[in-house]
C-alpha cells in the first residue's frame, strides 16, 4: 500500500467517525495528524533499516532517463553543518519514474569542485514514501567555509553543488551578502532572475514563499499573459503536489541558483492554497477535505526542500519557524505566518479596519511562535535582528484616500494588535536594528518601521524591504496607476517599483544596504538585470536613505494596474475552478 493510499483510507475512516460522533474540528485535525505522523515515522524507520542494503546493490540500478533531473540543493546552514538535497526522478512530471523500492544514493562533500580533497562521503536511502528525495544532514564541518557536493546512484552522477557554512555564533563578522526571492508562478514568465542570481557573489539565499502555485493551466493569468503552462489541473493529491514541485524544479535557471548557494526557505500560501489560514480553506472545501490536502501539500514541500528532519511534517503540522545566527552580525528569525493564524477578518477582502480586524485575541503567528520570537529578540546581542517572513508588515493604505482607507486583511494590517505586540516590544526594549524581509505582493517596496505608523514623527524602529516576485504577475512596470497616491498616503513608505526580480542585501555592523535587482520583462527569455534603486539603513534614527537610482532599459514606465488587480486575478482563477468543478459533477 502506498503512503498516499494509506493516508487517504485512514482519513476517510476518521472522517466517517467524525460525522457519526460529531467530533469537533480540532479533534479531527489531531486525529488526521496522528495518522500522517505515524505514516512518516514508518518511512524514517524503513529508511534507517534500508541502510543495511549491500553496496553492490547500487551498481545494479539503472534508469531509462537521467535520475537527477531536478538538480541538487543545499540549505539550513549552521556553523558546523548543512543539509544536502536531491531527488531521484528520471520521469519527474509523472510521479518521478523511479523504481518502487528503496534506492541507495551515495554522496560526497569536498573542498574543491573537482573532488580531489573529499572531506566526507556516505550513502543515504531514497525511499518511495518520500518521493525518493534525499536529505543528508551533515555536521562536524568548519565554520564559514565553502564546500562542494555531489550525488551518485547506479552509474549516474548528479550536477555539482556549491555550499557554505555559517560563521560561528558570536564570532566577529565584517560583512554578509545575500539575496531573497519569492512568488515564482511558473506560467507567468521565465526564471531569468534566477539565471542572474546564480552569477552573484552571495553567501546564502532566502526564499520567502510561493515556491509553487496550486492552480490548473491558465486559471491564474498574468496581466502580460501566460507564457508557460501548468501540467495537470488544480493540485489536490500527494502525487499532484509532487508533480507540480517537479515541474518548477525542472527549470534550469532555478536549478542553477539552488546549486550555487545554500538556501533558507519558508512558505506562504500557494504551497497549499491561496490565502488559507491554519485549518481554514479559502473556498469550496470542507475542513476535512482541506486538512487532507494540507497534509499532502506539507509532505511534498518537505520532500522538495533542503530541510532538516526536525522540519519533517508531524501529521497536519510542520515545524518551519527557526533561527540562524550569522556570527555577531545578524540573527535571522524565519517565520511562518500561515500555519497558525486566525482566519482573515472581514471576509478576507480589502477593507477599512473593523472591530474584527482590531480584535486583540486574533493571532498571526500563534501564541507559541510569537513568544519564541519575542524571547529571541530579547536575548539577541547581534548587530541586526532580521525577520524573514512572508507578508507586508508596515501599515499600507491603498484605498482612494486617507479618509477612505483600504487594507489587506491577509497582511499584518489585518492583524494590527499582533503587529503592535511586536513593535511595542521592540520599542520598549529600545531595539533599533530591526529589519523585516517580505515577499507576497509581487512588487518592490521600502518602508521605515515606526513606533506609531499614524505619527510620522514617532520613533523609527527599523526598516522593511519588500521584494518583488520572480515572475508572478507578469512583466510589470516602473510604477502603477495608484503608486503616487499610495506613497502620499503612507509617509513611512519610501519606495515602490513593479518590475520582476529579486533583492540583494549587503550588510556590515553599521549599515544595511539593499539593492532592488530587476528585469524589464519575464514574458520572453534573455532580459538583462539592473539595479533599479539602492537604499541604506544605518541605525541613526533617520530611517531609510536612497543612495542610488537608475532607469531600467527596455522597461515599461507605467501601467494602468492598481493594487486590487492582483486580488481580482485570484478571484477570476477561483471562478474558473468553480466552473470546472461544476462541470465535473454528474447531473
Amino acid at each position: 500500500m502506498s503512503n498516499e493510499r494509506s493516508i487517504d483510507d485512514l482519513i476517510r475512516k476518521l472522517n466517517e467517525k467524525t460525522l457519526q460522533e460529531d467530533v469537533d474540528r480540532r479533534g479531527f485535525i489531531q486525529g488526521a495528524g496522528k495518522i500522517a505522523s505515524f505514516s512518516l515515522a514508518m518511512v524514517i524507520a524503513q529508511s534507517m533499516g534500508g541502510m543495511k542494503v549491500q553496496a553492490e546493490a547500487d551498481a545494479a540500478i539503472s534508469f531509462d532517463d537521467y535520475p537527477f533531473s531536478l538538480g541538487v540543493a543545499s540549505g539550513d546552514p549552521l556553523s558546523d553543518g548543512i543539509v544536502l538535497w536531491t531527488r531521484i526522478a528520471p520521469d519527474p512530471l509523472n510521479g518521478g519514474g523511479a523504481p518502487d523500492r528503496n534506492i541507495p544514493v551515495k554522496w560526497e562533500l569536498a573542498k574543491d569542485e573537482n573532488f580531489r580533497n573529499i572531506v566526507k562521503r556516505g550513502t543515504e536511502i531514497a525511499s518511495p514514501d518520500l518521493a525518493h528525495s534525499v536529505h543528508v544532514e551533515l555536521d562536524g564541518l568548519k565554520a564559514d567555509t565553502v564546500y562542494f557536493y555531489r550525488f551518485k546512484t547506479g552509474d549516474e552522477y548528479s550536477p555539482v553543488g556549491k555550499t557554505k557554512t555559517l560563521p560561528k555564533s558570536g564570532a566577529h563578522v565584517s560583512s554578509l551578502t545575500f539575496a531573497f526571492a519569492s512568488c515564482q508562478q511558473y506560467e507567468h514568465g521565465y526564471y531569468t532572475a534566477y539565471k542572474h542570481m546564480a552569477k552573484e557573489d552571495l553567501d546564502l539565499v532566502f526564499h520567502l514563499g510561493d515556491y509553487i502555485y496550486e492552480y490548473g493551466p491558465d486559471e491564474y493569468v498574468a496581466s502580460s499573459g501566460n507564457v508557460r503552462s501548468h501540467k495537470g489541473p488544480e493540485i489536490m493529491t500527494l502525487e499532484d503536489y509532487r508533480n507540480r514541485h517537479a515541474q518548477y524544479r525542472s527549470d534550469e535557471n532555478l536549478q542553477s541558483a539552488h546549486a550555487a548557494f545554500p538556501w533558507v526557505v519558508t512558505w506562504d500560501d500557494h504551497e497549499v492554497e491561496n490565502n488559507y489560514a491554519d485549518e481554514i480553506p479559502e473556498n469550496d472545501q470542507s475542513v476535512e477535505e482541506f486538512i487532507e490536502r494540507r497534509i499532502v501539500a506539507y509532505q511534498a514541500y518537505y520532500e522538495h526542500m533542503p530541510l532538516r528532519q526536525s522540519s519533517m511534517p508531524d501529521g497536519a503540522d510542520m515545524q518551519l519557524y527557526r533561527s540562524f545566527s550569522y556570527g555577531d552580525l545578524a540573527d535571522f528569525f524565519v517565520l511562518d505566518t500561515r500555519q497558525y493564524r486566525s482566519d482573515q477578518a472581514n471576509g478576507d477582502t480589502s477593507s477599512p479596519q473593523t472591530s474584527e480586524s482590531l480584535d486583540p485575541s486574533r493571532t498571526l503567528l500563534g501564541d507559541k511562535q510569537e513568544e519564541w520570537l519575542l524571547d529571541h529578540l530579547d536575548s539577541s546581542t547581534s548587530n541586526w535582528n532580521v525577520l524573514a517572513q512572508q507578508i507586508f508588515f508596515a501599515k499600507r493604505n491603498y484605498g482612494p484616500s486617507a479618509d477612505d482607507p483600504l487594507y489587506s486583511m491577509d497582511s499584518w494590517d489585518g492583524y494590527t494588535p499582533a503587529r503592535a505586540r511586536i513593535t511595542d516590544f521592540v520599542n520598549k526594549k529600545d531595539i533599533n536594528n530591526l529589519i523585516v524581509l517580505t515577499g507576497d505582493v509581487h512588487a518592490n517596496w521600502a518602508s521605515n518601521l515606526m513606533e506609531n505608523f499614524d505619527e510620522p514623527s514617532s520613533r523609527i524602529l527599523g526598516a522593511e524591504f519588500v521584494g518583488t516576485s520572480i515572475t508572478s504577475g507578469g512583466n510589470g512596470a516602473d510604477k502603477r496607476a495608484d503608486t503616487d497616491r499610495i506613497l502620499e498616503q503612507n509617509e513611512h513608505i519610501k519606495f515602490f517599483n513593479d518590475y520582476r526580480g529579486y533583492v540583494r542585501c549587503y550588510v556590515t555592523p553599521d549599515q544595511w544596504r539593499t539593492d532592488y535587482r530587476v528585469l524589464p520583462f519575464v514574458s520572453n527569455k534573455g532580459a538583462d538585470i539592473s539595479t533599479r534603486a539602492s537604499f541604506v539603513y544605518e541605525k541613526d534614527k533617520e530611517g531609510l536613505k536612497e543612495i542610488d537610482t537608475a532607469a531600467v532599459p527596455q522597461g515599461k514606465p507605467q501601467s494602468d494596474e492598481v493594487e486590487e488587480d492582483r486580488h481580482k486575478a485570484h478571484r477570476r482563477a477561483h471562478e474558473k475552478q468553480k466552473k470546472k468543478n461544476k462541470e465535473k459533477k454528474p447531473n
Side-chain angles (χ1 to χ4, degrees):
M1 181 182 292
S2 72
N3 187 41
E4 181 177 0
R5 175 54 55 194
S6 63
I7 292 176
D8 286 349
D9 291 344
L10 289 168
I11 288 181
R12 189 171 297 109
K13 291 177 182 178
L14 181 66
N15 192 19
E16 292 171 358
K17 182 179 179 182
T18 300
L19 295 175
Q20 292 167 2
E21 300 180 5
D22 194 26
V23 179
D24 65 19
R25 175 184 295 177
R26 178 52 60 181
F28 176 88
I29 295 168
Q30 291 173 345
K34 289 178 182 178
I35 292 170
S37 181
F38 174 78
S39 180
L40 290 180
M42 291 296 292
V43 172
I44 296 172
Q46 291 167 1
S47 296
M48 292 176 66
M51 293 301 294
K52 298 178 182 179
V53 174
Q54 297 297 314
E56 56 263 24
D58 184 40
I61 296 173
S62 62
F63 303 94
D64 293 334
D65 291 292
Y66 186 53
F68 298 105
S69 61
L70 304 182
V72 299
S74 67
D76 271 17
L78 301 175
S79 61
D80 63 347
I82 197 79
V83 176
L84 308 181
W85 175 93
T86 194
R87 180 186 167 198
I88 306 303
D91 188 9
L93 304 190
N94 296 288
D100 188 21
R101 62 183 176 91
N102 288 345
I103 298 174
V105 180
K106 296 179 180 179
W107 57 267
E108 294 178 325
L109 186 79
K111 290 185 176 181
D112 66 299
E113 58 187 329
N114 296 313
F115 290 83
R116 295 190 179 94
N117 189 355
I118 295 174
V119 294
K120 283 182 178 287
R121 55 162 51 104
T123 302
E124 291 286 326
I125 296 300
S127 165
D129 289 313
L130 286 176
H132 292 101
S133 62
V134 176
H135 299 74
V136 182
E137 291 190 35
L138 297 179
D139 56 17
L141 304 182
K142 290 185 178 180
D144 200 18
T145 300
V146 171
Y147 292 96
F148 298 86
Y149 62 96
R150 65 184 178 185
F151 299 89
K152 181 176 184 288
T153 187
D155 295 324
E156 300 280 6
Y157 281 94
S158 74
V160 173
K162 180 182 178 182
T163 192
K164 187 180 182 183
T165 53
L166 303 183
K168 289 183 179 179
S169 180
H172 175 68
V173 176
S174 59
S175 67
L176 159 68
T177 306
F178 72 93
F180 67 91
S182 64
C183 304
Q184 52 196 46
Q185 217 282 15
Y186 183 85
E187 298 176 300
H188 286 190
Y190 296 100
Y191 291 168
T192 313
Y194 282 131
K195 179 180 180 180
H196 293 292
M197 181 189 288
K199 298 175 183 177
E200 301 262 18
D201 184 13
L202 306 175
D203 295 298
L204 73 162
V205 170
F206 288 85
H207 197 282
L208 303 181
D210 293 344
Y211 192 96
I212 64 166
Y213 281 70
E214 76 278 19
Y215 298 111
D218 286 325
E219 290 177 348
Y220 178 25
V221 180
S223 59
S224 52
N226 289 0
V227 298
R228 301 193 283 189
S229 183
H230 279 155
K231 183 179 185 294
E234 180 186 5
I235 52 179
M236 291 288 185
T237 69
L238 180 56
E239 183 165 331
D240 290 343
Y241 279 96
R242 285 171 170 172
N243 288 341
R244 185 60 55 82
H245 273 281
Q247 183 173 22
Y248 280 53
R249 279 276 190 174
S250 297
D251 186 278
E252 61 180 0
N253 292 330
L254 177 57
Q255 288 188 19
S256 67
H258 269 297
F261 319 106
W263 284 39
V264 174
V265 301
T266 188
W267 54 31
D268 194 12
D269 50 343
H270 290 288
E271 287 83 357
V272 182
E273 181 201 46
N274 181 57
N275 281 18
Y276 81 94
D278 193 2
E279 77 274 15
I280 302 171
E282 184 183 36
N283 289 311
D284 306 320
Q285 296 166 77
S286 69
V287 170
E288 291 78 13
E289 289 172 327
F290 178 70
I291 291 304
E292 183 172 359
R293 183 181 188 182
R294 175 173 138 168
I295 287 171
V296 298
Y298 281 14
Q299 178 172 335
Y301 183 82
Y302 173 81
E303 290 170 347
H304 290 85
M305 296 295 147
L307 290 166
R308 297 181 180 276
Q309 189 173 308
S310 58
S311 289
M312 179 176 279
D314 181 12
D317 301 315
M318 185 168 165
Q319 176 66 47
L320 204 56
Y321 67 85
R322 58 211 192 278
S323 63
F324 298 88
S325 292
Y326 202 88
D328 66 351
L329 184 60
D331 284 343
F332 290 89
F333 307 109
V334 181
L335 303 185
D336 179 352
T337 61
R338 192 57 57 180
Q339 187 176 180
Y340 312 105
R341 65 159 69 196
S342 304
D343 196 12
Q344 291 92 342
N346 307 333
D348 194 17
T349 59
S350 297
S351 66
Q353 298 293 352
T354 66
S355 58
E356 183 182 7
S357 63
L358 297 174
D359 181 354
S361 69
R362 298 174 67 253
T363 181
L364 189 56
L365 300 179
D367 293 342
K368 185 177 179 181
Q369 182 180 191
E370 186 175 307
E371 181 180 1
W372 167 87
L373 174 61
L374 297 183
D375 285 347
H376 278 72
L377 287 173
D378 192 25
S379 61
S380 174
T381 59
S382 182
N383 284 287
W384 299 96
N385 288 297
V386 188
L387 309 188
Q389 56 96 57
Q390 299 79 8
I391 53 175
F392 217 103
F393 189 86
K395 179 182 177 180
R396 184 178 56 128
N397 169 20
Y398 52 86
S401 68
D403 297 326
D404 189 12
L406 291 175
Y407 302 99
S408 167
M409 292 296 105
D410 189 60
S411 74
W412 286 89
D413 274 332
Y415 303 79
T416 52
R419 177 175 63 199
R421 288 193 290 270
I422 295 174
T423 55
D424 289 351
F425 182 88
V426 169
N427 188 46
K428 179 181 177 181
K429 295 293 182 178
D430 199 28
I431 296 171
N432 67 346
N433 60 3
L434 181 67
I435 300 292
V436 178
L437 309 178
T438 301
D440 182 55
V441 292
H442 309 172
N444 290 311
W445 303 77
S447 174
N448 287 322
L449 298 179
M450 313 299 295
E451 173 190 355
N452 183 347
F453 287 108
D454 295 323
E455 292 290 341
S457 61
S458 66
R459 180 178 170 233
I460 296 174
L461 308 176
E464 178 178 20
F465 300 107
V466 180
T468 188
S469 60
I470 291 291
T471 55
S472 299
N475 288 337
D478 196 56
K479 60 190 293 189
R480 297 187 310 218
D482 59 355
T483 297
D484 292 340
R485 186 187 76 239
I486 293 175
L487 293 178
E488 182 179 341
Q489 291 171 182
N490 301 271
E491 292 185 34
H492 52 281
I493 299 179
K494 303 301 181 182
F495 175 71
F496 171 85
N497 172 264
D498 197 32
Y499 291 125
R500 307 287 76 83
Y502 56 91
V503 180
R504 181 181 65 197
C505 299
Y506 179 73
V507 186
T508 66
D510 298 319
Q511 184 186 89
W512 186 288
R513 173 175 172 143
T514 291
D515 301 320
Y516 290 95
R517 304 281 282 163
V518 301
L519 304 166
F521 55 85
V522 293
S523 56
N524 291 293
K525 298 179 180 180
D528 290 331
I529 195 86
S530 62
T531 300
R532 172 60 182 83
S534 297
F535 284 81
V536 296
Y537 180 81
E538 297 180 309
K539 297 183 285 188
D540 56 4
K541 301 181 181 180
E542 295 184 9
L544 288 166
K545 304 180 186 72
E546 186 177 66
I547 60 169
D548 193 21
T549 183
V552 176
Q554 297 182 282
K556 184 177 181 180
Q558 183 170 337
S559 73
D560 295 328
E561 294 183 39
V562 296
E563 177 66 24
E564 189 65 19
D565 289 340
R566 183 168 55 90
H567 306 299
K568 291 178 179 177
H570 286 297
R571 288 196 290 270
R572 287 193 294 269
H574 287 304
E575 287 302 315
K576 293 177 184 178
Q577 290 173 339
K578 288 173 64 175
K579 183 178 180 181
K580 290 178 182 178
N581 291 334
K582 187 176 181 179
E583 291 171 349
K584 284 184 200 175
K585 292 179 180 179
N587 295 327

